[in-house]
Structures are given as C-alpha cells and as structure tokens.
Amino acid sequence: MNETEDKYTMAQAVAEAKRCLNCKVPQCKKGCPISNDIPDWIHELSMGNLGNAMAIIHAKSSLPAVCGRVCAHERQCEGNCVLGRKGKHIDIGRLERFVADFDSEMRLTQERIPAKTRGRVAIIGSGPAGLTIAGVLARKGFAVEIFEMEPEPGGVLMFGIPEYRLPKQVVREEIRKIEELGVVFHLGVCIGPDLTVDQLFEQGFDAVFMGTGAGKPKTLDIPGSKLRGVRQAIWFLRRVSLYNAGLISRDEVRVNPGDKVFVVGCGNTAMDAARTALRMGAAEVTVIYHRTIERMTALRAEYDDAVSEGVRFRWESAITRILNTDGVLDQVVISHNGTEETVPADKVIMAVGSQPAARIVSTSKGIEVDEKGYVLTREEPYGMTTRKGVFAGGDVTNRPATVVHAMQDAQKVAEGIERYVDAVRLLGNL
Ligand code: SF4
C-alpha cells in the first residue's frame, strides 16, 4: 500500500516556502494545537536552511513527519493561513513532512542531550502521547523507559493508521530519533498482567505515565453482531498492519477479495477501514451512518479520498440486523426513513468508537475512572491521576481526539510530571 500523497522536490518545497508572508501575527500558529512556530521554520526552509527548520520544529514536536501527514491541517494551521482567504493557503503539512523526511534521510539532527540526572519516568504505551512525553522529558534530563505490549513501538501510529496515510517506515524513523535521545524501549511487556504499576515504583521510578489509549472498541448490540464476519475496525486495521509487516498470513486479515463490506460509523477510523478494505480487494465497500454528511466526524479530505477511491455512503441509515446462513454472514438489513431493505453482505466492520481497557486500573490501587472507564486526572500537577505519581494523558483520559491533540495534552502532562518529580526529589515524599 503506497503512500497516496506526492512528495515535494527540494525546488518545489523552497518555492512553496517562499510564498509565505511571514505574518507578524501568524494565524497558522494560532490554529496549531501545539503552537508550532510555523512561519519561523518556513522562513528557514525558504533560504534552504533545513537543519535550522528542523530544530525549530523539534522545539515543539517530537513527531513532525507524522503530524505533517495525519494532522487535520484543513481545520488547523492551513485552515487559518491568511493566504487561504483569497487564494491558496501555504501547504504547511506537506512542507513539515518534507523537512522531517529530509532530516531523516540525511540524518541532519544531532541533538545534544543533557545528562539524565532529574529522575526516572516509566511510560506505559508508545502511541503519540507516550512518545511525546518521552521526547520532552528526555530532552530535559529525565531517564525515560517506555513499556509497550506490542512487538513494535508506535501504538496507533503503527497498528491503527494505515500505511497509505502514514508509512510505517516514517514512524520507525521518528521512533529512532526518540531512541537517540536515550529513551529505552521494553517491547512485548503488558503492564497489568506482566508487570504492575506497584512493581514499577518498586523498581525506582519516580513517576509513571499511562498513555495506553482507548483500545477497547464499542459495539452495536443488534441481532447478528456476534457473527464471525463482524469485525471491529481497530482490530481489522491492526491485522492489516501485522500482515503488511509479514507477521501474520493473508487469511488472518479476514476481508477477502470480492467481499461486499459494510462499515458502520463515519469517523476517521471508519474512513481508514473502508479504504483499507478496498485495498485488500473488497469488491464493494459501503459506509452506513445514522446521521447526515454534515455531522460526520471524519475529515472532509479523508471523506473526499474515500469517495474518489470508490467507497459508497448511505446517510441517515442504520444496520438493524445482520443475517446468516449456517453461521455464515450473508445479508444485512438496512433501515432508512422508516423503510427496511435486505441486501447481500460478506463482512461488517464496526467503527463506532472505543474506550480504555481496564488492564492497568484493575491491577493497581487508587487510580479512579469515570463511569465510561476514562481515567480521572487533575489540573495540579496537570495530568496526575487520583494516585500520587501516576499520570495519564491521551485517549485514556477522554480529552484529545486526534494525534496532535494527544501530543498537545501530553506536553502539558510532561510539565506536570517535571514539576512533580522535581518537588518529590527536593522535598522527599510529598
Ligand atoms: Fe505564512 Fe500563512 Fe502562516 Fe501567514 S498564516 S505566516 S502566510 S503560513
């Protein structure tokens, strides 16, 4: 599955950067959740100073090659660029991607890392929140160790977002740069069953961060929803990633060439699942959404790409029953405007949201969650849970919704951890 968006050449990138007005009050920066200093690095790029551009970006982001690809630019930086009012906004996402990829290819970045003297922090989960905290704290002199249950780090970046939107090699490069900051990765370790939070503290960590995401999918309780042909989108996407990495066989992906597939839900995960099902050879993919197009949560650009690739959409519709013959899914009943229609189907993929799994909170005392299972945190120090020294951020707390919002939240939590660990080390146990 090749990446869908074309790369800039150096000449194209510099020409695009030269269009930037370097506004005194840059609206693009205001639109960026992590306040990336966009005009500053675009200016460096316009003069060909790629190393300086990268250093400016790194001051705010540990994952620029990722953000340059999967951020909601249309709603954030690019949507706010003044040039967009009368003509074409600066292609900020593509430029960020260009700078980060050039940096990876040429190995430009040689960061000077401070000695790790300020304390030890354990991070559970290596998705965008965990990687961001690791990058921020390692740059500030903390010894950081990441515990990841999968065989490879990256979380949703590696096993959720498909290859055509975010090549895995790009994620690996970003992780390599974080490793070069001295961050240690422990892979295949599931905190909860394998190692508890108490044991992490016994090992001498000063603080623990839970960035475990929301990996437990929600489902629709309709007749037939337990049939084998019904799959969760995040499981389907994970299997395709594992298959692409050569770790499982084609059979285990479950969507077969020629299948008629229905995807329930209309967020970005639904778009990813629908487009991925087509790439896995499905003959027909139809997204079923109970609201109108105006209320879909998917980005418009993702929707447009899905349409151009052949995904069909049925608005204000719902699957009310999933039927089978001898246990094999073969039809779905779709309701629309009070009428019902029965149509042939081979697979149904659910993309109706997810919530946190309870592995950690059920094996550690004192970490409280709300009624939906999201971890409760406080404002002072930012991100600390109801258990002292344990912090949480990203999807597990029900705050952010996208990669960059998880990063924005994680930067604030990193400051909370920094203040907490410094205080504990100065004053003893608080
Ligand atoms: Fe450049 Fe647009 Fe940002 Fe102004 S708003 S600094 S033109 S990218």
Side-chain angles (χ1 to χ4, degrees):
M1 289 202 277
N2 291 331
E3 190 166 19
T4 40
E5 203 182 46
D6 290 338
K7 273 186 176 184
Y8 273 137
T9 62
M10 176 70 87
Q12 287 169 329
V14 170
E16 179 67 4
K18 281 189 188 301
R19 288 206 306 123
C20 174
L21 305 174
N22 210 339
C23 306
K24 275 212 172 66
V25 185
Q27 297 303 314
C28 53
K29 180 175 170 176
K30 281 194 182 163
C32 173
I34 56 171
S35 298
N36 196 328
D37 293 303
I38 294 163
D40 295 354
W41 63 258
I42 289 185
H43 182 63
E44 292 294 336
L45 171 60
S46 74
M47 297 188 297
N49 298 330
L50 276 288
N52 293 352
M54 190 74 256
I56 294 168
I57 295 173
H58 267 158
K60 295 283 171 70
S61 171
S62 292
L63 301 168
V66 172
C67 283
R69 287 170 165 87
V70 304
C71 267
H73 303 114
E74 67 189 42
R75 293 181 191 160
Q76 298 166 358
C77 53
E78 292 176 1
N80 281 281
C81 173
V82 291
L83 289 175
R85 289 182 203 150
K86 288 204 180 127
K88 173 91 178 65
H89 60 72
I90 297 288
D91 244 332
I92 302 168
R94 246 170 120 190
L95 288 180
E96 184 177 24
R97 172 184 151 184
F98 175 81
V99 174
D101 288 355
F102 188 87
D103 176 75
S104 296
E105 276 160 34
M106 305 310 291
R107 306 253 166 154
L108 287 184
T109 302
Q110 303 275 339
E111 286 191 71
R112 207 178 308 129
I113 310 305
K116 311 242 171 285
T117 55
R118 288 180 66 186
R120 291 181 67 204
V121 179
I123 293 180
I124 310 171
S126 61
L131 291 174
T132 297
I133 295 221
V136 171
L137 293 180
R139 286 189 176 96
K140 289 184 170 177
F142 289 86
V144 180
E145 296 182 37
I146 295 185
F147 296 83
E148 168 57 55
M149 67 177 184
E150 296 285 357
E152 213 181 336
V156 69
L157 307 175
M158 189 57 79
F159 295 105
I161 301 173
E163 178 80 15
Y164 63 84
R165 275 215 294 138
L166 180 61
K168 301 308 154 216
Q169 199 44 41
V170 170
V171 182
R172 290 188 184 107
E173 277 299 322
E174 298 282 55
I175 290 168
R176 176 186 63 77
K177 291 180 194 175
I178 291 170
E179 250 180 320
E180 283 180 359
L181 298 172
V183 173
V184 175
F185 287 81
H186 304 276
L187 303 176
V189 182
C190 189
I191 300 296
D194 297 342
L195 191 65
T196 64
V197 169
D198 294 331
Q199 287 168 323
L200 289 174
F201 282 118
E202 282 162 21
Q203 287 183 12
F205 286 101
D206 298 290
V208 174
F209 171 74
M210 291 171 61
T212 41
K216 188 173 153 202
K218 293 180 188 164
T219 191
L220 289 185
D221 195 13
I222 53 174
S225 62
K226 303 237 164 19
L227 285 167
R228 262 173 71 84
V230 181
R231 294 277 140 199
Q232 284 291 346
I234 54 178
W235 289 343
F236 167 61
L237 292 168
R238 180 172 180 275
R239 283 189 174 238
V240 174
S241 294
L242 290 171
Y243 166 65
N244 286 333
L247 297 170
I248 63 171
S249 69
R250 177 66 183 80
D251 295 353
E252 293 174 271
V253 172
R254 306 286 192 218
V255 168
N256 301 318
D259 275 355
K260 281 190 168 57
V261 177
F262 287 86
V263 176
V264 182
C266 205
N268 288 321
T269 304
M271 296 305 104
D272 286 346
R275 297 173 68 191
T276 300
L278 278 181
R279 284 169 173 75
M280 295 313 288
E284 248 180 64
V285 179
T286 308
V287 170
I288 303 285
Y289 188 49
H290 64 289
R291 294 186 170 132
T292 58
I293 184 170
E294 291 76 27
R295 300 194 60 192
M296 69 176 174
T297 54
L299 282 174
R300 188 74 200 197
E302 296 300 319
Y303 164 78
D304 289 345
D305 286 348
V307 170
S308 69
E309 288 171 9
V311 176
R312 300 172 185 185
F313 289 80
R314 291 186 64 163
W315 307 106
E316 296 180 292
S317 301
I319 292 183
T320 52
R321 269 168 294 151
I322 304 169
L323 309 177
N324 72 94
T325 302
D326 300 329
V328 178
L329 190 164
D330 56 3
Q331 289 179 316
V332 292
V333 180
I334 299 173
S335 77
H336 173 68
N337 281 345
T339 59
E340 282 199 333
E341 181 190 0
T342 302
V343 294
D346 297 298
K347 301 284 164 19
V348 174
I349 299 178
M350 297 282 181
V352 292
S354 56
Q355 61 197 61
R359 272 187 307 273
I360 297 173
V361 291
S362 63
T363 54
S364 321
K365 285 203 191 100
I367 303 171
E368 287 176 22
V369 296
D370 68 10
E371 68 285 354
K372 290 183 180 156
Y374 292 103
V375 175
L376 299 171
T377 58
R378 45 200 247 188
E379 289 293 315
E380 271 302 315
Y382 188 87
M384 191 151 95
T385 66
T386 46
R387 178 164 176 180
K388 213 166 64 175
V390 178
F391 290 73
D395 287 341
V396 76
T397 59
N398 200 15
R399 286 192 294 266
T402 63
V403 168
V404 74
H405 285 104
M407 289 171 57
Q408 176 191 35
D409 188 57
Q411 283 182 346
K412 281 174 75 180
V413 179
E415 280 170 30
I417 294 174
E418 191 184 349
R419 289 182 45 208
Y420 170 80
V421 175
D422 282 351
V424 166
R425 293 211 148 203
L426 191 68
L427 305 171
N429 202 9
L430 287 173

